[in-house]
Amino acid sequence: MFKPLSMVALLSCFAIGFANAAINQTKGDFEDKFRQLDESLPTPNVYRNAAGEPGHEYWQQQVDYQIKAKLDEQKRRIEASEQITYHNNSPDTLKYLWMQLEQNKFRNDSMSAMTTTFGGIGNRGPATASASSDKPAQLSLGALRRQQFTDDHDLGFDIQSVTDSNGNKLKFTIVGTNMRIDLPRHLKPGKKTVFNIDYAFNIVEEDAVTARSGYEHFPDDEREGGNDIFLLAQWFPRLHAYTDYEAWTNREFIGRGEFTLEFGNYEVELTVPADHIVSATGELQNPKNVLTSTQRKRLKQAEDAERIVFVVTAEEALENEKEGTDATKTWKFSANNVRDFAWASSRKFMWDARGHQQGGDDQPLVMAMSFYPKEGGKLWEKYSTESIIQTLEVYSRFSFDYPYPVAQSVNGPVGGMEYPMITFNGPRTELQKDGSRTYSQAEKRFLISVVIHEIGHIYFPMIVNSDERQWTWMDEGLNSFLDGVAGREWDPSIPWGVEPRDVVDYMKSSNQVPIMTQSDSVLRLGPNAYTKPAAALNILRETILGRELFDFAFKEYAQRWKYKRPTPSDFFRTMEEASGVDLDWFWRGWFYSTDHVDISIDKIYKLRLDTHDPDIDFARQRQEELDKPESLTDIRNKAEGRKLWIERFPDITDFYDENDRFTVTNKERNAYQKFLSKLKPWEKTALERAVKEDKNYYVLDFSNKGGLVMPIILELTFADGSVENQYIPAEIWRRTPKAVSKLIITDKDKELVSVTVDPHWETADVDVSNNHYPPKIIPSRIEAYKTKKRSGKVYRDIMQDIKTELKTYDEDDIEEDDNN
C-alpha cells in the first residue's frame, strides 16, 4: 500500500529532504515559529517579575465609595450623591483624577453614536441591515426604535456638583465618557483624598437601546398591571484605573470594551418603592427594615437547605404586582474589596435562595440566590440557583474559594452581564393561551450556560482583575474556557462552544484578527474573544500540557493575581513557569497571529533494510517482482487459453529457464562474507540485530498548510486490525515549519495500512480532508458537528408543541391555518 524503498534509499530520501529545505528556506524566507516571546513582552520589573508574579514592589490603587441613591420609578431616573475616598498607593504624584461616565455613551453626540456605522461587520443589537453593493440599504425597526428613544430622552450623566470634603467646588472637565477632576493640591504617594459628586441620569430602556443595564417595561395584561424591572450598572461616576503599565486607563467607552476598575469598599443606600425587592452587590445590612419576619426566617432556613427556599414566593410576587405605592424603603448594602457595584429592583421579583457550604476559613457559607418575575417560571425555579452552585464548585477547584457572602442571578432585559456578587441573565418562559408557561430546550440550555458564564465572571475579572477594555480575551476567553469545563460537568450534550471544532470556521475566515487586538477594533468579538481563546486553552489542557500540569499552572495564576491586576504577559509567563513547559510558540501562534491549523499528511514511504546477504535480499527482490500487478496482456492470453512457447516445446529450454537474475551464487555469498569481515564489532552487532528483527520502516511526510505549528497527533492502523496513537510534540517544526518528515518503526508483524492525523479533532485543524493516508471519503465536517442556527424566537418549544392535537385536514382547514 505504501511505496517501498530500500534502507539506502532511506538515507537518500533524507538527503533530498534536507536539500529541499535548504532551497525552500532561502534568505529572508525562514520564519522561526519558536522564537522566544520575551522579545515581544514587556520587560520584567519590580512590579511584575519574569515568572509572571506580582513583583516585590507591586502596587494598585484603592477607591472607597459611600453612595446614597433614589430610584424615581415614575420618571425612571436615578438621583444620587457619592463620597469617594481615593488612596494613592502608587509611587507617583497625581495632579488630577480621571472618572468614568459610561452613561454618556447614550448621548447622541458621543463617540459611540457618532462612529456607529450603517450595517457592516461587528455591529451589535438592533443594528441596521447591511448596505451591500448588490442590495438596497434597509433600516430595521429596531434601529428606528433606538434612534427615537435617544431623541426623546435626555441621556447621560447630569453632574450637578463636584466638591472636596469641605464643600469647596472642584474643577472638572467632561471628555465624552470621561471626566477629569483637577486636584487643588497634588496627591502624593501614600496619601488619600476625599471628594463628593452629586449626579443624576435617566435610565435607558434596555430593549430599545441594547445596553448592559436599564429598565424593562411589562405592558398591562389581563392578570396584572404593567410594571418594570430595573437593572442598574455603570450607574455612578467611577474612578478609572491608574496602573503601573499604562498610568490612567482612560480610553473612551464606545460600548464593546468593558471596564477597568479599582478595588475598594462600598457602603450603599438604595431608596426604592416600598414594595420593591432589591438584589445588589454586597451584604444586606438592615434586613429588619426592609424584609418581613417571614422573609428573614425563610432566608435563614435556606442556609442549610438541600434545595432552594423561596424568600418571596410566586404568589407573593404576583400579588405585589397588582399594588402600587408612593411609600419608599431604603436598602443598605456593604461590600468589601470589590471593584464595582450593581443592583436590581422590581416589585415583580420572586426570590429563591440556597446556601452553598463550601467550607474553608474565608467564606464557609455562600448564599446562592435568584431573583426573577413570574415570566421566569419553572425554568428559573429549577435551574438558576442550582447553576450558581455548580459554578462555584467547579471554579473554586480551578482557582480559589469564592470569597464573597452572596452570588446572585437576576432576570431582566440584559441577556448576560456580570458584576461583583450579582449577574444579569435573560432567558425566560413563554405564556401560553391555556395559562401555562413553557420553554424550549434552547432556552433551558441558554439559561444554564449564561448563569454559569456570568457567575464565573465574578472570579474572572471581578477578582482576578484583568483589563477588559484592552484585552477582552483575558476575562471572556478564560471564563469561556472554564464555563465549558463547568458546563460539561453539568450536561455535555449542551453545545458549549469551546471545543477546537467550534473555532475552525473562524480560524480560516478573512475576518479574523489576532486575539491580542484591542476589543473595540475586533471584527468579530464572539469567536475572537470567547471561542478562540477558550478553544486554545482547551487544547493546551487536554492535548499539549495535560490536565495535571495545566490545572496546577492555571490555579497558580488565579491565586497569584487574586484581587490584583494581571496583564497578558503575567498569564503567559505564569503558565510557562508553573508548568515547566516552553509555550512561546503556542502564545505566538494562537494569540499574536491569524495563522490556522492545517496539517496535511502528504506521503508515506515504506522502507526496507538492505542486509547485503544475497540469500535474503535477492529473495525479497524476487517476491517484490512477483507482487507487481500482472500484465493485462498476460491475463487475457491466459483467458483465451494461449500456451507459452516453452509449454508447447519443453525440450527447447536452457539454464535461464530454471534460474533468473535473483538466483544467488557463491560469488555473491563470498562478497557478503568479505563485507562482514570489514565491519567493526558494533556495526556487525547492529546489522545482525536489524536483520533478525526485520522491522518495518515508514517515512511520513507532513506539510503545514495553515502556518500554525501544533503537535502532530497520529492514529496508526495496522493490518492485524490494531490501532495505536502517537503524539509528536510541536517542536518537530522548529527547523522546517513548512514541512517535516518523521520516521516510524514498527515490528515486522505490525504492517501499517493507514494513518489519520488528529483523529479526535483536538487541534482545530480546519481541513480534515488531508488528514488521512491513504486519502478517504469523509462527510462534511460542518454537517458532522454544527447545529443549524436560528434567529429570534423560532426555537421549537416541544414542551408546548407536544400538547397539540392530531388533526385531519380538509381544504377549508388548510386555508384557515395558512391565514393564521
Side-chain angles (χ1 to χ4, degrees), residues 305-316:
E306 292 185 0
R307 285 291 179 265
I308 62 167
V309 173
F310 277 100
V311 182
V312 177
T313 67
E315 294 75 20
E316 292 166 344

Side-chain angles (χ1 to χ4, degrees), residues 403-420:
Y404 298 131
V406 296
Q408 300 163 92
S409 170
V410 183
N411 181 238
V414 178
M417 195 61 203
E418 74 283 353
Y419 305 95

Side-chain angles (χ1 to χ4, degrees), residues 40-179:
S40 303
L41 297 180
T43 304
N45 53 50
V46 294
Y47 309 129
R48 300 164 189 278
N49 70 23
E53 290 184 292
H56 63 277
E57 294 186 21
Y58 176 83
W59 57 267
Q60 63 187 32
Q61 310 291 58
Q62 178 179 331
V63 190
D64 300 328
Y65 297 84
Q66 291 181 327
I67 307 175
K68 294 182 179 180
K70 180 179 180 180
L71 169 63
D72 187 327
E73 184 174 29
Q74 297 304 316
K75 295 181 179 179
R76 298 187 176 110
R77 182 174 174 84
I78 295 291
E79 299 276 353
S81 63
E82 63 180 340
Q83 182 181 86
I84 301 173
T85 303
Y86 188 88
H87 304 259
N88 183 13
N89 299 323
S90 80
D92 306 323
T93 296
L94 304 179
K95 302 177 183 178
Y96 44 78
L97 306 176
W98 278 102
M99 307 287 294
Q100 303 191 55
L101 304 180
E102 291 95 343
Q103 291 296 322
N104 287 4
K105 169 190 178 293
F106 304 111
R107 293 171 56 92
N108 284 329
D109 61 354
S110 71
M111 182 182 291
S112 175
M114 291 189 295
T115 61
T116 297
T117 58
F118 186 85
I121 188 169
N123 279 340
R124 297 181 64 182
T128 51
S130 175
S132 59
S133 58
D134 58 342
K135 294 182 180 179
Q138 297 176 324
L139 191 64
S140 70
L141 291 175
L144 285 173
R145 181 187 186 187
R146 178 187 176 93
Q147 174 262 317
Q148 292 164 1
F149 184 89
T150 57
D151 282 351
D152 294 345
H153 295 82
D154 185 12
L155 301 179
F157 276 117
D158 174 15
I159 304 298
Q160 297 163 350
S161 71
V162 181
T163 59
D164 65 17
S165 58
N166 295 319
N168 300 313
K169 291 184 177 180
L170 295 175
K171 181 183 178 182
F172 64 90
T173 303
I174 295 177
V175 185
T177 60
N178 298 324
M179 178 173 69

